[in-house]
Amino acid sequence: MIANKATKGTIGNTMTISRAFNRVGLLLTAALLLSVSLFAGRVQAATGTIYLTPATASVLNGNNFTTDVRINPGTGVNAVDVYITYDAAKLSYQSISAAGSPFTTSFIGGVTTTANSLHFTSGILGTGANVSTDAYIATVTFKAIAGSGTSSLSLTGSNAAESVNSTATNPALTGATITLTSPVQTCPSGQTGTPPNCVTPTPTPTPTPTPTPTTTTTTKTSSGGTTAPAIPTTPTPVTAANADIATTVDRQDVQFTLANLSISSKSPTQVYVRYGLDAENLSVQTPWSELATSHIVVLDPAMLIPGQTYYYQVTSKSSNGKTLQTAVASFTTKGLSVKVGFFDKNNKPLANKKVSIHSTPQTATTDKKGIATFSNLTPGSHTVSYVAGGKTYSRPVALQNNITTDGTTQTAEPQSFSVVLDFAQGSGLLSPMGLGLLAAAVVAIVGVALYLRRNGADGFGNFGDYIPTLSPVTTGGEESHSAKSPKNEELTKRLEGTPMPQTSAPGTVISSDTHNDTDGKK
């Protein structure tokens, strides 16, 4: 569709202007084709960049990921022609969307796919309309079908058209590199080893040390944990006799599986902490600390999991054996984050819809691309769901334990999933926007009909100057057409009555794949 030589000839060489518009509806088709003609202009120096973002990504085998096609034009443009190629042995094309793109006439002629490439053209109709700053073109969804290595997404052959002189801008093209990985398998919380050889360690009883009287105020650190005996959690009343050994938790330093409690008292004490998932059954116990007025108690990371609430109680003891128990308190470990894209069976995103995730229920609202964000989740299996027409559509997602520990700092990258639910949303034509576009088209056709009736076909004056022309390429003494330009007879056939494919309504996802999903159950 983008030619490398000056255009010559017009559709008027094959048919007269009056014949081209014998059918009133053909004016709209010609207007749509107008944006395509911008690729048939003169060659000029390279201007701007068409690029994919993010430029790099790491994706688990079996997961979907998205890449945005964008342009930093360097000049005013009103049409783009995009070719994306990829390794079909490692990636599988899923869908494409252009919702929110300033190139409002998206996927002119449809989206063309092969085993390892896809092609589409987008543009802007209207005199003087153009894009001159960095802009979004479309979002493409792929699926990783390999568990190792890398795969490149390339923009070979892509181009843009400068709107004033109808010239190809020959922008620089920047693709993306995808790193493919297999899911990391870890043993369940509380077990050690390498899957599938996971074992539960046998707790070693910790002897109670004999306290040594001291007046030190140095902060002492204690760590570890064993199975705790069944001790009632009733707190000890603070009185004048034991107020000096009453403890205060000054700070809770909590990450994904790391938790430290900073504890202080007026007089030197020994302390230990019992903790667990049940406030009435604190099943894990740290060892006694040394005698001091300030302590940092480190809880056992093997006993903690992300996104979980834990309850704890501090017991303190003086040098002469006097003890005191605090009331039960709690903390919540930092949980994992996930972004989930929701699509119907036609790959149309569920925009601005309420969706949920379980096992601990969370509700979120999707954005215009159908993406919802959930946070503070535990690793393992969850279920995402959407309710429509009294029916619940559900899909499972599995969060990996992707926590990275660097010294005393833990991080976890947000995980991404896409789910396709087995139902179709309402037709875009019947939506408020679809009805508005249909009404606008009817008004335009009626107006053109009245104009033709009053002035005849010749009343269009020089409109033929705006009809798309073809760029001939001479090969071996014969005139042929470039691979990106339609042949004269094909374009003539369109103007004589074959309609162009309809432009997708905002939010539409076009997919060449069939998803064999089943309905979720309530």
Side-chain angles (χ1 to χ4, degrees):
M1 297 178 68
I2 300 177
N4 293 321
K5 292 190 177 182
T7 61
K8 40 185 176 175
T10 66
I11 296 307
N13 293 332
T14 59
M15 58 190 297
T16 65
I17 297 302
S18 59
R19 180 185 174 191
F21 293 96
N22 280 340
R23 296 178 176 86
V24 175
L26 295 182
L27 178 60
L28 298 180
T29 301
L32 183 61
L33 287 172
L34 178 58
S35 64
V36 181
S37 71
L38 295 175
F39 293 113
R42 301 181 301 277
V43 175
Q44 68 175 36
T47 303
T49 303
I50 298 177
Y51 62 99
L52 299 180
T53 183
T56 60
S58 180
V59 184
L60 288 175
N61 183 18
N63 281 7
N64 285 2
F65 70 95
T66 60
T67 182
D68 283 354
V69 186
R70 299 187 65 89
I71 184 169
N72 193 349
T75 185
V77 299
N78 66 347
V80 289
D81 197 37
V82 178
Y83 286 80
I84 300 179
T85 59
Y86 54 92
D87 186 349
K90 296 180 179 179
L91 301 176
S92 172
Y93 165 69
Q94 301 294 299
S95 61
I96 187 170
S97 171
S101 173
F103 296 95
T104 52
T105 306
S106 303
F107 313 134
I108 300 170
V111 178
T112 303
T113 61
T114 66
N116 64 346
S117 70
L118 65 99
H119 166 234
F120 65 90
T121 302
S122 297
I124 310 173
L125 296 181
T127 304
N130 64 56
V131 171
S132 58
T133 59
D134 189 277
Y136 163 73
I137 301 173
T139 297
V140 185
T141 301
F142 292 93
K143 181 178 182 179
I145 56 176
S148 63
T150 60
S151 181
S152 297
L153 295 175
S154 302
L155 289 168
T156 306
S158 300
N159 214 325
E162 188 270 324
S163 59
V164 176
N165 298 314
S166 299
T167 56
T169 62
N170 302 315
L173 305 175
T174 303
T177 300
I178 309 303
T179 302
L180 307 167
T181 60
S182 294
V184 178
Q185 296 185 351
T186 59
C187 289
S189 176
Q191 294 188 353
T192 60
T194 302
N197 302 314
C198 298
V199 296
T200 301
T202 302
T204 302
T206 302
T208 301
T210 302
T212 302
T214 180
T215 58
T216 180
T217 58
T218 304
T219 298
K220 300 293 183 179
T221 300
S222 60
S223 62
T226 62
T227 301
I231 300 175
T233 57
T234 305
T236 306
V238 178
T239 64
N242 62 16
D244 59 327
I245 63 169
T247 56
T248 301
V249 177
D250 301 313
R251 188 174 68 252
Q252 300 175 344
D253 294 322
V254 180
Q255 299 185 58
F256 293 96
T257 60
L258 298 179
N260 304 334
L261 303 177
S262 297
I263 303 171
S264 63
S265 59
K266 292 181 179 180
S267 299
T269 59
Q270 287 183 282
V271 300
Y272 74 84
V273 176
R274 291 192 302 139
Y275 59 101
L277 295 173
D278 184 352
E280 301 299 326
N281 182 20
L282 305 178
S283 57
V284 184
Q285 178 179 311
T286 67
W288 280 103
S289 71
E290 296 182 24
L291 199 64
T293 57
S294 182
H295 309 270
I296 296 177
V297 179
V298 180
L299 307 188
D300 188 351
M303 300 298 180
L304 303 178
I305 60 176
Q308 188 68 59
T309 297
Y310 289 87
Y311 300 90
Y312 69 91
Q313 183 177 52
V314 180
T315 298
S316 57
K317 181 166 58 174
S318 66
S319 58
N320 59 8
K322 183 172 52 179
T323 62
L324 185 147
Q325 281 191 160
T326 66
V328 175
S330 67
F331 64 86
T332 300
T333 54
K334 187 175 181 179
L336 304 176
S337 296
V338 61
K339 292 185 176 181
V340 184
F342 290 81
F343 300 86
D344 69 5
K345 67 180 181 181
N346 294 323
N347 282 327
K348 182 178 179 180
L350 275 65
N352 303 314
K353 304 293 185 184
K354 285 190 176 181
V355 292
S356 60
I357 192 168
H358 305 268
S359 32
T360 301
Q362 283 191 40
T363 300
T365 300
T366 59
D367 61 15
K368 64 182 180 181
K369 294 184 180 181
I371 298 174
T373 301
F374 302 98
S375 58
N376 294 323
L377 300 173
T378 60
S381 297
H382 297 265
T383 299
V384 294
S385 60
Y386 169 68
V387 178
K391 187 173 184 179
T392 300
Y393 299 89
S394 302
R395 288 290 180 270
V397 294
L399 270 66
Q400 301 296 321
N401 190 357
N402 64 334
I403 298 166
T404 300
T405 302
D406 183 6
T408 59
T409 302
Q410 291 187 312
T411 58
E413 292 295 326
Q415 301 178 42
S416 299
F417 299 90
S418 291
V419 295
V420 178
L421 306 179
D422 192 24
F423 81 102
Q425 300 180 81
S427 170
L429 187 61
L430 297 180
S431 66
M433 180 174 289
L435 292 174
L437 292 173
L438 180 61
V442 170
V443 171
I445 291 173
V446 171
V448 172
L450 292 174
Y451 188 85
L452 284 172
R453 184 170 182 179
R454 293 174 182 172
N455 300 282
D458 293 337
F460 281 94
N462 296 322
F463 188 79
D465 294 342
Y466 298 93
I467 299 177
T469 58
L470 300 174
S471 298
V473 178
T474 302
T475 305
E478 296 183 1
E479 188 174 83
S480 61
H481 294 89
S482 70
K484 295 181 182 179
S485 299
K487 295 181 179 179
N488 278 319
E489 55 267 30
E490 292 174 346
L491 188 55
T492 300
K493 182 179 179 182
R494 287 184 178 180
L495 290 175
E496 288 181 333
T498 302
M500 284 285 291
Q502 292 183 348
T503 302
S504 301
T508 298
V509 174
I510 301 173
S511 175
S512 59
D513 296 341
T514 301
H515 299 274
N516 297 318
D517 296 306
T518 58
D519 292 343
K521 305 296 182 182
K522 282 190 176 180

